[in-house]
mmCIF file of all heavy atoms in Angstrom:
data_model
loop_
_atom_site.group_PDB
_atom_site.id
_atom_site.type_symbol
_atom_site.label_atom_id
_atom_site.label_comp_id
_atom_site.label_asym_id
_atom_site.label_seq_id
_atom_site.Cartn_x
_atom_site.Cartn_y
_atom_site.Cartn_z
ATOM 1 N N ILE A 46 6.924 -18.121 2.187
ATOM 2 C CA ILE A 46 8.261 -18.391 1.611
ATOM 3 C C ILE A 46 8.794 -17.275 0.747
ATOM 4 O O ILE A 46 9.990 -16.920 0.905
ATOM 5 C CB ILE A 46 8.147 -19.725 0.762
ATOM 6 C CG1 ILE A 46 7.866 -20.904 1.657
ATOM 7 C CG2 ILE A 46 9.484 -19.921 0.061
ATOM 8 C CD1 ILE A 46 7.531 -22.205 0.900
ATOM 9 N N ASN A 47 7.914 -16.640 -0.014
ATOM 10 C CA ASN A 47 8.333 -15.636 -0.943
ATOM 11 C C ASN A 47 7.871 -14.291 -0.651
ATOM 12 O O ASN A 47 7.930 -13.392 -1.500
ATOM 13 C CB ASN A 47 7.769 -16.013 -2.352
ATOM 14 C CG ASN A 47 8.176 -17.416 -2.830
ATOM 15 O OD1 ASN A 47 9.224 -17.878 -2.450
ATOM 16 N ND2 ASN A 47 7.309 -18.027 -3.564
ATOM 17 N N TYR A 48 7.455 -13.970 0.603
ATOM 18 C CA TYR A 48 6.892 -12.697 0.887
ATOM 19 C C TYR A 48 7.927 -11.586 0.589
ATOM 20 O O TYR A 48 9.099 -11.655 0.965
ATOM 21 C CB TYR A 48 6.504 -12.602 2.378
ATOM 22 C CG TYR A 48 6.039 -11.249 2.785
ATOM 23 C CD1 TYR A 48 4.670 -10.854 2.417
ATOM 24 C CD2 TYR A 48 6.778 -10.310 3.417
ATOM 25 C CE1 TYR A 48 4.217 -9.609 2.744
ATOM 26 C CE2 TYR A 48 6.285 -9.092 3.802
ATOM 27 C CZ TYR A 48 5.027 -8.707 3.444
ATOM 28 O OH TYR A 48 4.556 -7.464 3.739
ATOM 29 N N SER A 49 7.447 -10.556 -0.058
ATOM 30 C CA SER A 49 8.257 -9.442 -0.400
ATOM 31 C C SER A 49 7.424 -8.165 -0.518
ATOM 32 O O SER A 49 6.282 -8.159 -0.984
ATOM 33 C CB SER A 49 8.958 -9.706 -1.822
ATOM 34 O OG SER A 49 9.274 -8.462 -2.474
ATOM 35 N N VAL A 50 7.993 -7.071 -0.079
ATOM 36 C CA VAL A 50 7.265 -5.752 -0.063
ATOM 37 C C VAL A 50 6.999 -5.342 -1.503
ATOM 38 O O VAL A 50 6.144 -4.486 -1.820
ATOM 39 C CB VAL A 50 8.052 -4.658 0.655
ATOM 40 C CG1 VAL A 50 8.085 -5.007 2.130
ATOM 41 C CG2 VAL A 50 9.434 -4.434 0.041
ATOM 42 N N LEU A 51 7.698 -5.966 -2.500
ATOM 43 C CA LEU A 51 7.412 -5.582 -3.876
ATOM 44 C C LEU A 51 6.149 -6.278 -4.408
ATOM 45 O O LEU A 51 5.595 -5.926 -5.403
ATOM 46 C CB LEU A 51 8.609 -6.047 -4.758
ATOM 47 C CG LEU A 51 9.963 -5.531 -4.447
ATOM 48 C CD1 LEU A 51 10.934 -5.940 -5.461
ATOM 49 C CD2 LEU A 51 9.966 -4.050 -4.356
ATOM 50 N N LYS A 52 5.747 -7.373 -3.694
ATOM 51 C CA LYS A 52 4.692 -8.217 -4.179
ATOM 52 C C LYS A 52 3.354 -8.005 -3.474
ATOM 53 O O LYS A 52 2.296 -8.128 -4.140
ATOM 54 C CB LYS A 52 5.070 -9.697 -4.038
ATOM 55 C CG LYS A 52 6.399 -10.080 -4.573
ATOM 56 C CD LYS A 52 6.477 -10.009 -6.082
ATOM 57 C CE LYS A 52 5.765 -11.180 -6.716
ATOM 58 N NZ LYS A 52 5.895 -11.181 -8.209
ATOM 59 N N MET A 53 3.371 -7.729 -2.198
ATOM 60 C CA MET A 53 2.101 -7.704 -1.491
ATOM 61 C C MET A 53 2.225 -7.049 -0.104
ATOM 62 O O MET A 53 3.254 -7.073 0.479
ATOM 63 C CB MET A 53 1.524 -9.074 -1.360
ATOM 64 C CG MET A 53 2.369 -9.974 -0.426
ATOM 65 S SD MET A 53 1.525 -11.550 -0.015
ATOM 66 C CE MET A 53 0.244 -10.992 1.048
ATOM 67 N N TYR A 54 1.140 -6.579 0.325
ATOM 68 C CA TYR A 54 0.863 -6.191 1.747
ATOM 69 C C TYR A 54 -0.376 -6.982 2.137
ATOM 70 O O TYR A 54 -1.282 -7.178 1.366
ATOM 71 C CB TYR A 54 0.736 -4.687 1.979
ATOM 72 C CG TYR A 54 1.954 -3.943 1.621
ATOM 73 C CD1 TYR A 54 2.081 -3.107 0.493
ATOM 74 C CD2 TYR A 54 3.095 -4.033 2.443
ATOM 75 C CE1 TYR A 54 3.216 -2.376 0.232
ATOM 76 C CE2 TYR A 54 4.253 -3.346 2.138
ATOM 77 C CZ TYR A 54 4.309 -2.523 1.023
ATOM 78 O OH TYR A 54 5.454 -1.843 0.776
ATOM 79 N N HIS A 55 -0.442 -7.368 3.379
ATOM 80 C CA HIS A 55 -1.540 -8.217 3.786
ATOM 81 C C HIS A 55 -2.880 -7.508 3.830
ATOM 82 O O HIS A 55 -3.900 -8.159 3.516
ATOM 83 C CB HIS A 55 -1.226 -8.782 5.197
ATOM 84 C CG HIS A 55 -0.040 -9.676 5.206
ATOM 85 N ND1 HIS A 55 0.022 -10.831 4.548
ATOM 86 C CD2 HIS A 55 1.174 -9.510 5.822
ATOM 87 C CE1 HIS A 55 1.228 -11.403 4.712
ATOM 88 N NE2 HIS A 55 1.927 -10.612 5.498
ATOM 89 N N PHE A 56 -2.923 -6.244 4.065
ATOM 90 C CA PHE A 56 -4.174 -5.503 4.171
ATOM 91 C C PHE A 56 -4.142 -4.284 3.274
ATOM 92 O O PHE A 56 -3.318 -3.390 3.435
ATOM 93 C CB PHE A 56 -4.457 -5.088 5.650
ATOM 94 C CG PHE A 56 -4.630 -6.300 6.519
ATOM 95 C CD1 PHE A 56 -3.574 -6.729 7.306
ATOM 96 C CD2 PHE A 56 -5.816 -6.988 6.551
ATOM 97 C CE1 PHE A 56 -3.748 -7.831 8.124
ATOM 98 C CE2 PHE A 56 -6.012 -8.101 7.399
ATOM 99 C CZ PHE A 56 -4.988 -8.517 8.144
ATOM 100 N N ALA A 57 -5.049 -4.296 2.222
ATOM 101 C CA ALA A 57 -5.021 -3.247 1.214
ATOM 102 C C ALA A 57 -6.513 -3.211 0.723
ATOM 103 O O ALA A 57 -7.424 -3.828 1.217
ATOM 104 C CB ALA A 57 -4.104 -3.670 0.070
ATOM 105 N N PRO A 58 -6.723 -2.333 -0.223
ATOM 106 C CA PRO A 58 -8.125 -2.170 -0.724
ATOM 107 C C PRO A 58 -8.682 -3.466 -1.271
ATOM 108 O O PRO A 58 -7.979 -4.328 -1.754
ATOM 109 C CB PRO A 58 -7.999 -1.141 -1.892
ATOM 110 C CG PRO A 58 -6.821 -0.289 -1.385
ATOM 111 C CD PRO A 58 -5.815 -1.258 -0.768
ATOM 112 N N VAL A 59 -10.004 -3.603 -1.298
ATOM 113 C CA VAL A 59 -10.745 -4.847 -1.747
ATOM 114 C C VAL A 59 -11.989 -4.397 -2.516
ATOM 115 O O VAL A 59 -12.414 -3.256 -2.431
ATOM 116 C CB VAL A 59 -11.192 -5.678 -0.496
ATOM 117 C CG1 VAL A 59 -10.007 -6.081 0.354
ATOM 118 C CG2 VAL A 59 -12.256 -4.945 0.353
ATOM 119 N N PHE A 60 -12.438 -5.355 -3.303
ATOM 120 C CA PHE A 60 -13.761 -5.188 -3.853
ATOM 121 C C PHE A 60 -14.789 -5.703 -2.758
ATOM 122 O O PHE A 60 -14.669 -6.808 -2.201
ATOM 123 C CB PHE A 60 -13.974 -6.157 -5.082
ATOM 124 C CG PHE A 60 -13.357 -5.581 -6.303
ATOM 125 C CD1 PHE A 60 -12.381 -6.285 -6.961
ATOM 126 C CD2 PHE A 60 -13.775 -4.363 -6.822
ATOM 127 C CE1 PHE A 60 -11.859 -5.789 -8.171
ATOM 128 C CE2 PHE A 60 -13.255 -3.827 -7.959
ATOM 129 C CZ PHE A 60 -12.254 -4.553 -8.641
ATOM 130 N N GLU A 61 -15.662 -4.786 -2.380
ATOM 131 C CA GLU A 61 -16.600 -5.107 -1.343
ATOM 132 C C GLU A 61 -17.736 -6.031 -1.906
ATOM 133 O O GLU A 61 -18.188 -5.886 -3.075
ATOM 134 C CB GLU A 61 -17.201 -3.792 -0.820
ATOM 135 C CG GLU A 61 -16.138 -2.972 -0.098
ATOM 136 C CD GLU A 61 -16.608 -1.546 0.205
ATOM 137 O OE1 GLU A 61 -17.786 -1.348 0.608
ATOM 138 O OE2 GLU A 61 -15.761 -0.624 0.042
ATOM 139 N N ARG A 62 -18.211 -6.945 -1.037
ATOM 140 C CA ARG A 62 -19.105 -7.941 -1.472
ATOM 141 C C ARG A 62 -20.577 -7.465 -1.487
ATOM 142 O O ARG A 62 -21.469 -8.034 -2.173
ATOM 143 C CB ARG A 62 -19.093 -9.161 -0.491
ATOM 144 C CG ARG A 62 -17.747 -9.739 -0.288
ATOM 145 C CD ARG A 62 -17.063 -10.236 -1.551
ATOM 146 N NE ARG A 62 -15.721 -10.868 -1.375
ATOM 147 C CZ ARG A 62 -14.862 -11.123 -2.305
ATOM 148 N NH1 ARG A 62 -15.125 -10.745 -3.557
ATOM 149 N NH2 ARG A 62 -13.757 -11.755 -1.982
ATOM 150 N N TYR A 63 -20.827 -6.349 -0.865
ATOM 151 C CA TYR A 63 -22.231 -5.833 -0.738
ATOM 152 C C TYR A 63 -22.261 -4.428 -1.405
ATOM 153 O O TYR A 63 -21.358 -3.684 -1.083
ATOM 154 C CB TYR A 63 -22.753 -5.821 0.667
ATOM 155 C CG TYR A 63 -22.818 -7.206 1.283
ATOM 156 C CD1 TYR A 63 -21.669 -7.753 1.938
ATOM 157 C CD2 TYR A 63 -24.003 -7.947 1.215
ATOM 158 C CE1 TYR A 63 -21.735 -9.020 2.458
ATOM 159 C CE2 TYR A 63 -24.031 -9.224 1.728
ATOM 160 C CZ TYR A 63 -22.911 -9.756 2.375
ATOM 161 O OH TYR A 63 -22.988 -11.045 2.950
ATOM 162 N N GLU A 64 -23.338 -4.128 -2.057
ATOM 163 C CA GLU A 64 -23.505 -2.822 -2.674
ATOM 164 C C GLU A 64 -24.477 -2.013 -1.869
ATOM 165 O O GLU A 64 -25.513 -2.503 -1.491
ATOM 166 C CB GLU A 64 -23.927 -2.932 -4.119
ATOM 167 C CG GLU A 64 -22.900 -3.585 -5.014
ATOM 168 C CD GLU A 64 -23.371 -3.739 -6.435
ATOM 169 O OE1 GLU A 64 -24.368 -2.944 -6.832
ATOM 170 O OE2 GLU A 64 -22.891 -4.565 -7.179
ATOM 171 N N GLY A 65 -24.115 -0.733 -1.665
ATOM 172 C CA GLY A 65 -25.040 0.166 -0.862
ATOM 173 C C GLY A 65 -24.351 1.526 -0.808
ATOM 174 O O GLY A 65 -23.327 1.763 -1.376
ATOM 175 N N LYS A 66 -25.045 2.447 -0.109
ATOM 176 C CA LYS A 66 -24.516 3.827 0.016
ATOM 177 C C LYS A 66 -23.141 3.840 0.677
ATOM 178 O O LYS A 66 -22.418 4.832 0.550
ATOM 179 C CB LYS A 66 -25.501 4.685 0.674
ATOM 180 C CG LYS A 66 -25.804 4.332 2.130
ATOM 181 C CD LYS A 66 -26.861 5.237 2.771
ATOM 182 C CE LYS A 66 -27.132 4.909 4.236
ATOM 183 N NZ LYS A 66 -25.918 5.143 5.071
ATOM 184 N N ASP A 67 -22.786 2.841 1.497
ATOM 185 C CA ASP A 67 -21.570 2.827 2.197
ATOM 186 C C ASP A 67 -20.464 2.046 1.527
ATOM 187 O O ASP A 67 -19.477 1.659 2.042
ATOM 188 C CB ASP A 67 -21.721 2.304 3.620
ATOM 189 C CG ASP A 67 -22.488 3.357 4.527
ATOM 190 O OD1 ASP A 67 -22.324 4.533 4.259
ATOM 191 O OD2 ASP A 67 -23.159 2.829 5.431
ATOM 192 N N SER A 68 -20.782 1.605 0.263
ATOM 193 C CA SER A 68 -19.811 0.837 -0.505
ATOM 194 C C SER A 68 -18.886 1.775 -1.293
ATOM 195 O O SER A 68 -19.334 2.627 -2.039
ATOM 196 C CB SER A 68 -20.494 -0.061 -1.583
ATOM 197 O OG SER A 68 -21.360 -0.950 -0.922
ATOM 198 N N PHE A 69 -17.572 1.639 -1.002
ATOM 199 C CA PHE A 69 -16.545 2.487 -1.635
ATOM 200 C C PHE A 69 -16.301 1.868 -3.098
ATOM 201 O O PHE A 69 -16.202 2.608 -4.038
ATOM 202 C CB PHE A 69 -15.319 2.590 -0.875
ATOM 203 C CG PHE A 69 -14.165 3.352 -1.514
ATOM 204 C CD1 PHE A 69 -14.216 4.737 -1.455
ATOM 205 C CD2 PHE A 69 -13.208 2.749 -2.380
ATOM 206 C CE1 PHE A 69 -13.287 5.501 -2.076
ATOM 207 C CE2 PHE A 69 -12.283 3.495 -2.961
ATOM 208 C CZ PHE A 69 -12.279 4.896 -2.876
ATOM 209 N N LEU A 70 -16.163 0.541 -3.142
ATOM 210 C CA LEU A 70 -15.744 -0.036 -4.435
ATOM 211 C C LEU A 70 -16.329 -1.499 -4.500
ATOM 212 O O LEU A 70 -15.998 -2.323 -3.643
ATOM 213 C CB LEU A 70 -14.240 -0.101 -4.538
ATOM 214 C CG LEU A 70 -13.621 -0.320 -5.919
ATOM 215 C CD1 LEU A 70 -13.910 0.810 -6.825
ATOM 216 C CD2 LEU A 70 -12.135 -0.604 -5.776
ATOM 217 N N THR A 71 -17.053 -1.752 -5.516
ATOM 218 C CA THR A 71 -17.505 -3.145 -5.774
ATOM 219 C C THR A 71 -17.223 -3.412 -7.239
ATOM 220 O O THR A 71 -16.965 -2.450 -8.041
ATOM 221 C CB THR A 71 -18.990 -3.358 -5.486
ATOM 222 O OG1 THR A 71 -19.760 -2.744 -6.507
ATOM 223 C CG2 THR A 71 -19.348 -2.826 -4.124
ATOM 224 N N LYS A 72 -17.328 -4.597 -7.664
ATOM 225 C CA LYS A 72 -17.029 -4.991 -9.032
ATOM 226 C C LYS A 72 -18.104 -4.437 -10.037
ATOM 227 O O LYS A 72 -17.899 -4.336 -11.228
ATOM 228 C CB LYS A 72 -16.982 -6.554 -9.249
ATOM 229 C CG LYS A 72 -15.712 -7.093 -8.522
ATOM 230 C CD LYS A 72 -15.611 -8.596 -8.715
ATOM 231 C CE LYS A 72 -14.365 -9.178 -8.000
ATOM 232 N NZ LYS A 72 -14.249 -10.625 -8.167
ATOM 233 N N ASN A 73 -19.298 -4.086 -9.460
ATOM 234 C CA ASN A 73 -20.394 -3.642 -10.326
ATOM 235 C C ASN A 73 -20.620 -2.172 -10.211
ATOM 236 O O ASN A 73 -21.554 -1.638 -10.863
ATOM 237 C CB ASN A 73 -21.654 -4.407 -9.908
ATOM 238 C CG ASN A 73 -21.541 -5.897 -10.154
ATOM 239 O OD1 ASN A 73 -20.949 -6.278 -11.127
ATOM 240 N ND2 ASN A 73 -22.092 -6.677 -9.246
ATOM 241 N N THR A 74 -19.900 -1.419 -9.416
ATOM 242 C CA THR A 74 -20.205 -0.007 -9.239
ATOM 243 C C THR A 74 -19.089 0.908 -9.607
ATOM 244 O O THR A 74 -18.915 2.037 -9.068
ATOM 245 C CB THR A 74 -20.575 0.244 -7.763
ATOM 246 O OG1 THR A 74 -19.530 -0.129 -6.918
ATOM 247 C CG2 THR A 74 -21.854 -0.479 -7.397
ATOM 248 N N PHE A 75 -18.214 0.480 -10.580
ATOM 249 C CA PHE A 75 -17.151 1.382 -11.055
ATOM 250 C C PHE A 75 -17.826 2.508 -11.784
ATOM 251 O O PHE A 75 -18.685 2.363 -12.633
ATOM 252 C CB PHE A 75 -16.313 0.612 -12.083
ATOM 253 C CG PHE A 75 -15.039 0.172 -11.457
ATOM 254 C CD1 PHE A 75 -14.998 -0.684 -10.386
ATOM 255 C CD2 PHE A 75 -13.797 0.566 -11.986
ATOM 256 C CE1 PHE A 75 -13.791 -1.114 -9.786
ATOM 257 C CE2 PHE A 75 -12.606 0.098 -11.418
ATOM 258 C CZ PHE A 75 -12.597 -0.729 -10.357
ATOM 259 N N VAL A 76 -17.375 3.707 -11.505
ATOM 260 C CA VAL A 76 -17.737 4.902 -12.284
ATOM 261 C C VAL A 76 -16.472 5.516 -12.823
ATOM 262 O O VAL A 76 -15.389 5.201 -12.316
ATOM 263 C CB VAL A 76 -18.511 5.936 -11.490
ATOM 264 C CG1 VAL A 76 -19.802 5.377 -10.965
ATOM 265 C CG2 VAL A 76 -17.697 6.468 -10.324
ATOM 266 N N ASN A 77 -16.603 6.371 -13.807
ATOM 267 C CA ASN A 77 -15.358 6.972 -14.368
ATOM 268 C C ASN A 77 -15.596 8.465 -14.310
ATOM 269 O O ASN A 77 -16.370 9.011 -15.143
ATOM 270 C CB ASN A 77 -15.137 6.503 -15.792
ATOM 271 C CG ASN A 77 -14.688 5.019 -15.807
ATOM 272 O OD1 ASN A 77 -13.700 4.649 -15.251
ATOM 273 N ND2 ASN A 77 -15.572 4.219 -16.361
ATOM 274 N N ALA A 78 -15.095 9.083 -13.282
ATOM 275 C CA ALA A 78 -15.364 10.490 -13.081
ATOM 276 C C ALA A 78 -14.809 11.290 -14.232
ATOM 277 O O ALA A 78 -13.717 11.029 -14.767
ATOM 278 C CB ALA A 78 -14.754 10.930 -11.769
ATOM 279 N N ASN A 79 -15.514 12.291 -14.573
ATOM 280 C CA ASN A 79 -15.106 13.268 -15.630
ATOM 281 C C ASN A 79 -14.105 14.293 -15.071
ATOM 282 O O ASN A 79 -14.461 15.457 -14.916
ATOM 283 C CB ASN A 79 -16.308 13.888 -16.261
ATOM 284 C CG ASN A 79 -15.963 14.711 -17.448
ATOM 285 O OD1 ASN A 79 -14.886 14.602 -18.042
ATOM 286 N ND2 ASN A 79 -16.869 15.637 -17.842
ATOM 287 N N VAL A 80 -12.931 13.742 -14.755
ATOM 288 C CA VAL A 80 -11.863 14.637 -14.180
ATOM 289 C C VAL A 80 -10.605 14.521 -14.982
ATOM 290 O O VAL A 80 -10.274 13.474 -15.488
ATOM 291 C CB VAL A 80 -11.648 14.316 -12.692
ATOM 292 C CG1 VAL A 80 -12.816 14.479 -11.839
ATOM 293 C CG2 VAL A 80 -11.174 12.878 -12.554
ATOM 294 N N ASP A 81 -9.883 15.623 -15.000
ATOM 295 C CA ASP A 81 -8.530 15.640 -15.540
ATOM 296 C C ASP A 81 -7.557 14.813 -14.604
ATOM 297 O O ASP A 81 -7.655 14.939 -13.422
ATOM 298 C CB ASP A 81 -8.009 17.057 -15.770
ATOM 299 C CG ASP A 81 -8.862 17.871 -16.690
ATOM 300 O OD1 ASP A 81 -9.442 17.337 -17.697
ATOM 301 O OD2 ASP A 81 -9.043 19.077 -16.417
#
């Protein structure tokens, strides 16, 4: 009813449910790179 490009796209980044070497982003593996 309310779909708007300002609000959402159907497919976007997610928190991945499994952690491993191929995990880009999970809720438990945030790092904060020492970058400007």
Side-chain angles (χ1 to χ4, degrees):
I46 295 171
N47 303 329
Y48 178 77
S49 155
V50 294
L51 305 185
K52 309 292 286 187
M53 65 172 289
Y54 295 109
H55 296 295
F56 296 99
V59 301
F60 282 122
E61 296 167 40
R62 307 301 185 195
Y63 298 88
E64 294 181 21
K66 64 181 181 64
D67 289 329
S68 298
F69 179 83
L70 195 69
T71 72
K72 292 181 181 179
N73 298 322
T74 57
F75 261 58
V76 297
N77 294 294
N79 185 17
V80 297
D81 300 324

